Amino acid sequence: MKELIGTGVALVTPFNDDKSVDFEGLKRLVNYQIDNGINYLVLLGTTGEPATLTSKEKEKIKATVVSVNNGRLPIVLGIGGNNTMAVVEELKTTDLADYCAILSVSPYYNKPTQEGIYQHFKAVAEASPKPIILYNVPSRTGVNVEPNTVIRIATNFKNIVAIKEAAGDIIQVQRLLQHKPKDFLVISGDDMIALPMVLAGGSGVISVIGQGFPKLFSEMIQQGLKGDVKGANKLHYKVMDSIDYIFEEGNPAGIKSLLKTLNICEENVRLPLVNASYELQQKISNFVANN
């Protein structure tokens, strides 16, 4: 899965002021990534607010991104949830021809045991015709996927090819890197520690800030992959404050505020999320103006 090495971006779903999907903004966003060195696109992950989208909207979003991309970059599609049988059914009934892999989040809200997580991904692996990226984000799901569980899953199901690791725990990352199967990829799901993860042996990042600063962030990751610690760290420190800003009031309100500053799309999110505060918007605007 060489397509998944480097920088992927978790695309937002732009909304107009009336909260309808802004498809023109989505087209600008996709082209902005492609024109500035991003390695692959991630569609309908958490940052895309899929929990607030209708089925028809999701289908049109997928068709729009596939059309604009026109085969230029690999696309990863988010298909996950806390109802295992529903996830299995979606995998079996969705046309996945345009996607290189599936990003599937660990079940949230139900708070399964480690065995429950294993059995969930066993069912997902057996249903999926595409490679799977397991997504561990305990701050959202309520349960951490322990390294031993990840290794067990990766060893037993060869089409689970990677993990997007967003626990924010560099020791946990090192445990994964120490014991993972040879070709299994450990991908950062946390922008702030993406570079340390790469320098420790990780394969890259699925980024939020990367869609705001695709050229800088993807160059940072490439330098890290090449072992240019000094050069990569210089870029990391340049972008570091903006990572704090975009997550200060939650995701994707912050990144959408940044994208508005860059004239790519409006800052609107859908309830229960709310737009970034005026104070945060000013901090983000000032950062962009001074960098």
Side-chain angles (χ1 to χ4, degrees), residues 123-188:
V124 169
E126 290 172 346
S128 179
K130 292 284 184 174
I132 298 160
I133 306 167
L134 188 160
Y135 182 18
N136 182 36
V137 56
S139 63
R140 288 185 179 272
T141 64
V143 179
N144 183 40
V145 186
E146 301 290 343
N148 287 344
T149 303
V150 176
I151 301 307
R152 183 183 173 203
I153 291 168
T155 301
N156 292 343
F157 307 104
K158 299 305 180 185
N159 64 332
I160 298 187
V161 299
I163 182 169
K164 179 185 177 185
E165 175 54 60
D169 184 343
I170 197 68
I171 302 301
Q172 180 159 298
V173 169
Q174 290 176 318
R175 297 290 184 204
L176 289 170
L177 291 167
Q178 180 185 22
H179 296 295
K180 73 179 183 66
K182 180 181 177 182
D183 295 326
F184 186 77
L185 304 180
V186 178
I187 299 167
S188 177

Side-chain angles (χ1 to χ4, degrees), residues 28-225:
R28 286 192 296 273
L29 180 64
V30 171
N31 280 319
Y32 183 56
Q33 309 312 308
I34 296 169
D35 292 343
N36 285 282
I38 291 301
N39 299 109
Y40 60 98
L41 306 172
V42 180
L43 185 57
L44 296 178
T46 306
T47 304
E49 298 175 75
T52 68
L53 297 169
T54 67
S55 296
K56 287 185 178 179
E57 287 173 330
K58 289 179 184 177
E59 290 306 311
K60 191 170 180 182
I61 287 165
K62 289 191 288 185
T64 300
V65 171
V66 167
S67 176
V68 174
N69 182 54
N70 195 26
R72 290 180 287 174
L73 292 183
I75 305 176
V76 173
L77 179 65
I79 298 180
N82 63 338
N83 178 342
T84 304
M85 291 303 101
V87 176
V88 165
E89 182 64 18
E90 187 173 355
L91 286 166
K92 288 181 175 180
T93 57
T94 301
D95 182 358
L96 301 174
D98 294 307
Y99 309 102
C100 73
I102 300 301
L103 177 67
S104 198
V105 68
S106 179
Y108 44 83
Y109 189 76
N110 301 2
K111 298 188 78 172
T113 63
Q114 295 299 302
E115 182 62 26
I117 292 170
Y118 175 85
Q119 293 297 333
H120 170 85
F121 280 107
K122 178 178 186 288
V124 169
E126 290 172 346
S128 179
K130 292 284 184 174
I132 298 160
I133 306 167
L134 188 160
Y135 182 18
N136 182 36
V137 56
S139 63
R140 288 185 179 272
T141 64
V143 179
N144 183 40
V145 186
E146 301 290 343
N148 287 344
T149 303
V150 176
I151 301 307
R152 183 183 173 203
I153 291 168
T155 301
N156 292 343
F157 307 104
K158 299 305 180 185
N159 64 332
I160 298 187
V161 299
I163 182 169
K164 179 185 177 185
E165 175 54 60
D169 184 343
I170 197 68
I171 302 301
Q172 180 159 298
V173 169
Q174 290 176 318
R175 297 290 184 204
L176 289 170
L177 291 167
Q178 180 185 22
H179 296 295
K180 73 179 183 66
K182 180 181 177 182
D183 295 326
F184 186 77
L185 304 180
V186 178
I187 299 167
S188 177
D190 184 321
D191 285 336
M192 193 63 84
I193 64 169
L195 179 59
M197 282 183 63
V198 166
L199 294 175
S203 298
V205 62
I206 294 175
S207 176
V208 177
I209 193 64
Q211 69 195 298
F213 302 119
K215 199 167 190 177
L216 187 157
F217 209 76
S218 60
E219 178 61 23
M220 180 193 78
I221 295 298
Q222 288 302 318
Q223 290 186 12
L225 289 168

